[in-house]
Amino acid sequence: MNQQNWGSFKTLLGHLEESVLTLTINRPDKMNALNQTVLSELAQVIEQLEQDQNVKGVIITGAGEKAFVAGADISEFNGADLNRAMEIASKGQAIFDRLEKNNKPIIAAVNGFALGGGCELAMACHIRIAAEQARFGQPEVNLGLIPGYGGTQRLTQLVGRGKALELMMSGNMIDASQALQIGLVNYVVNATALMAESKKLMRTILTKGPQAVARVIQAVEACFDKTKNGYRNEVTLFGQCFGTAEMQEGVSAFLEKRKPKFN
Ligand code: COA
């Protein structure tokens, strides 16, 4: 597969240079929100890179200066019922799971808002490097929802139960230095240095034995395999949100640009 093939997506920009694929989620006018097209294209990319010997590592970032990814595309939630919601969560989880299990190192270069599905995408990457202006959060409760793309599991794994519960129950956003403090990100750097630092770390990893690196990923992954029921459970609970009046209110309020009234 050559460089040209990475340019053939509607919502992703792919650039292969010195064996590192930089993948940019490219919907800057919608804060790079993950709609179904982005998710399907991400799935395609993951499949391609598993087979492409020219790609040794991947850096994922967001287009524009404001957002990495500001979540799942909320406009696609309107009108979905329990079954559709469970499909949405299962699809998102499957894609992020495959990303996380990928044998090639994957770094999230978090250039701005990483909220909801965006935080979940960053957490499915092996390493996270944040620009100083990056903001993190799982604001789903503002919509009468919970994370559905693995967030309830991965956030707990990364930052521990107490902070994970706080972030998911409050919907509060944290800045990059707070994210560093709780272990949600590996480094915080100036925005101008974000891609260079991400590439530098990638270069270090790529000088190591690729099979050993792949086995590190598999070995760490094995730590968490027993939690798979947690992911299944998340799909069901996410689906159940879609039967609630509060979720209808939360999503409508966002789309109508007003504050939701839950009580
Ligand atoms: N889904 C769909 N559209 C989204 C989106 C999302 N998750 N996040 C942002 N957008 C859209 C906005 O609706 C807006 O579209 P418009 O220009 O057509 O009205 C555009 O992106 C710009 O966002 P805006 O809210 O105007 O920017 P802001 O700088 O004032 O605020 C955020 C930025 C990220 C704080 C805010 O957009 C936000 O809270 N987004 C939702 C985050 C969220 O709840 N994510 C979890 C989803 S489950």
Side-chain angles (χ1 to χ4, degrees):
M1 179 149 315
N2 59 38
Q3 212 164 317
Q4 280 179 339
N5 295 92
W6 298 110
S8 58
F9 296 101
K10 265 168 48 186
T11 59
L12 303 176
L13 297 172
H15 179 67
L16 183 60
E17 192 181 330
E18 294 177 25
S19 305
V20 178
L21 176 68
T22 300
L23 196 62
T24 306
I25 317 286
N26 189 29
R27 297 185 74 211
D29 53 325
K30 293 290 176 191
M31 300 275 162
N32 303 320
L34 301 174
N35 63 9
Q36 291 302 307
T37 309
V38 180
L39 283 178
S40 298
E41 292 191 339
L42 260 179
Q44 266 178 270
V45 167
I46 294 166
E47 198 174 327
Q48 282 181 211
L49 75 92
E50 282 167 357
Q51 292 155 15
D52 187 346
Q53 300 306 316
N54 297 318
V55 180
K56 309 275 189 228
V58 182
I59 297 174
I60 300 182
T61 194
E65 288 174 4
K66 284 186 84 169
F68 173 70
V69 167
D73 191 317
I74 300 169
S75 64
E76 290 183 344
F77 287 171
N78 233 358
D81 60 9
L82 181 144
N83 287 335
R84 175 68 192 133
M86 285 178 69
E87 263 174 38
I88 291 172
S90 296
K91 177 178 170 184
Q93 277 197 10
I95 295 166
F96 287 8
D97 191 53
R98 203 159 160 188
L99 189 72
E100 186 178 54
K101 289 199 171 84
N102 207 283
N103 278 341
K104 299 172 185 180
I106 302 175
I107 295 178
V110 184
N111 54 308
F113 289 112
L115 303 176
C119 191
E120 291 173 299
L121 173 62
M123 292 191 294
C125 296
H126 302 132
I127 292 169
R128 284 149 294 285
I129 303 185
E132 282 159 358
Q133 80 269 19
R135 296 284 178 277
F136 296 81
Q138 296 290 162
E140 287 86 352
V141 285
N142 294 328
L143 304 165
L145 270 172
I146 66 167
Y149 296 168
T152 61
Q153 308 303 293
R154 290 196 182 92
L155 188 61
T156 310
Q157 291 160 10
L158 270 171
V159 307
R161 185 171 172 157
K163 267 291 165 191
L165 281 167
E166 179 193 329
L167 286 170
M168 288 186 280
M169 289 165 70
S170 68
N172 282 344
M173 252 190 256
I174 56 172
D175 64 22
S177 67
Q178 289 169 300
L180 180 66
Q181 211 178 10
I182 64 173
L184 181 53
V185 301
N186 299 63
Y187 297 102
V188 179
V189 299
N190 189 274
T192 55
L194 179 64
M195 291 314 291
E197 288 297 326
S198 303
K199 284 178 185 165
K200 191 173 150 201
L201 181 57
M202 182 62 81
R203 288 265 145 254
T204 301
I205 296 169
L206 295 186
T207 61
K208 315 301 172 189
Q211 290 185 36
V213 169
R215 290 199 171 95
V216 167
I217 294 168
Q218 288 164 17
V220 172
E221 187 55 33
C223 267
F224 300 106
D225 249 9
K226 55 184 165 297
T227 65
K228 282 294 168 253
N229 281 345
Y231 289 97
R232 290 279 301 273
N233 197 38
E234 182 186 273
V235 166
T236 307
L237 292 169
F238 179 86
Q240 286 169 354
C241 293
F242 283 69
T244 65
E246 66 180 51
M247 183 268 178
Q248 298 299 329
E249 166 62 10
V251 168
S252 303
F254 178 83
L255 297 174
E256 291 158 20
K257 300 184 186 300
R258 61 177 173 81
K259 278 198 163 47
K261 279 194 202 147
F262 290 128
N263 297 304

